[in-house]
Amino acid sequence: MTGNKKSLVVVFGAMLALGILAAYVHQTYAPKVLATGRFHQVAHKGEGVAAIVQLRNGRRLLRLTDFHTADKPDLSVMLVSAPDAFENQTILNSKVFVLGQLQNPAGDQEYELPADLDLASFGAITIWNRKYAVNFTTAPLRLSDH
């Protein structure tokens, strides 16, 4: 084998080893996905993914990814006990937990979940307008298999 071929084999072998190491690190240290769902339109168009993840240190977060809804004031992010909601009344009849004010009507964002919050009691994430009691968009959650 010539010097150039040996160098190529060494470089390729190192790249392969780094890829295997990166996959191991990702699998070992990546957040555990507990539940996910996609937003659908209710009173306003909603897009994106809601995911509840658990970090290695035990903290749990709601992550909204590729999220978008109407840019209106007074929007809250809520967990609701209903498995889904296509109108306002379902939310009004549900047990709710308010995670806080919507950080942004578009883009990725995170909300911390209390350690003692029983996630089994909730089936969906809703973006809710408090002033007018309107369900903007909802993401039904599906529990992860692992």
Side-chain angles (χ1 to χ4, degrees):
M1 214 184 290
T2 67
N4 284 344
K5 287 184 182 177
K6 284 182 185 177
S7 296
L8 188 58
V9 168
V10 169
V11 168
F12 181 73
M15 288 172 57
L16 182 61
L18 284 174
I20 292 169
L21 179 62
Y24 171 77
V25 168
H26 177 74
Q27 182 179 20
T28 304
Y29 295 101
K32 179 180 178 183
V33 178
L34 303 176
T36 60
R38 289 199 152 278
F39 282 96
H40 62 74
Q41 180 172 337
V42 183
H44 293 275
K45 187 175 182 182
E47 298 174 345
V49 174
I52 296 176
V53 299
Q54 184 168 4
L55 306 179
R56 287 198 74 232
N57 64 7
R59 287 180 48 220
R60 297 180 300 175
L61 302 172
L62 167 65
R63 287 185 172 160
L64 304 185
T65 308
D66 297 324
F67 178 75
H68 182 78
T69 193
D71 187 5
K72 303 288 183 183
D74 207 23
L75 297 180
S76 294
V77 179
M78 300 188 327
L79 286 162
V80 296
S81 60
D84 203 348
F86 294 92
E87 44 26 69
N88 302 330
Q89 200 59 45
T90 299
I91 305 302
L92 294 171
N93 293 337
S94 294
K95 173 182 166 186
V96 300
F97 183 85
V98 179
L99 292 171
Q101 184 175 348
L102 183 67
Q103 296 167 8
N104 203 320
D108 297 351
Q109 46 205 293
E110 293 183 342
Y111 301 84
E112 182 126 12
L113 301 173
D116 60 348
L117 184 68
D118 179 17
L119 293 177
S121 300
F122 300 98
I125 303 294
T126 292
I127 307 304
W128 180 257
N129 181 287
R130 293 177 299 209
K131 184 176 182 179
Y132 297 106
V134 173
N135 179 2
F136 269 44
T137 180
T138 295
L141 295 173
R142 210 172 93 193
L143 296 177
S144 183
D145 294 334
H146 43 288

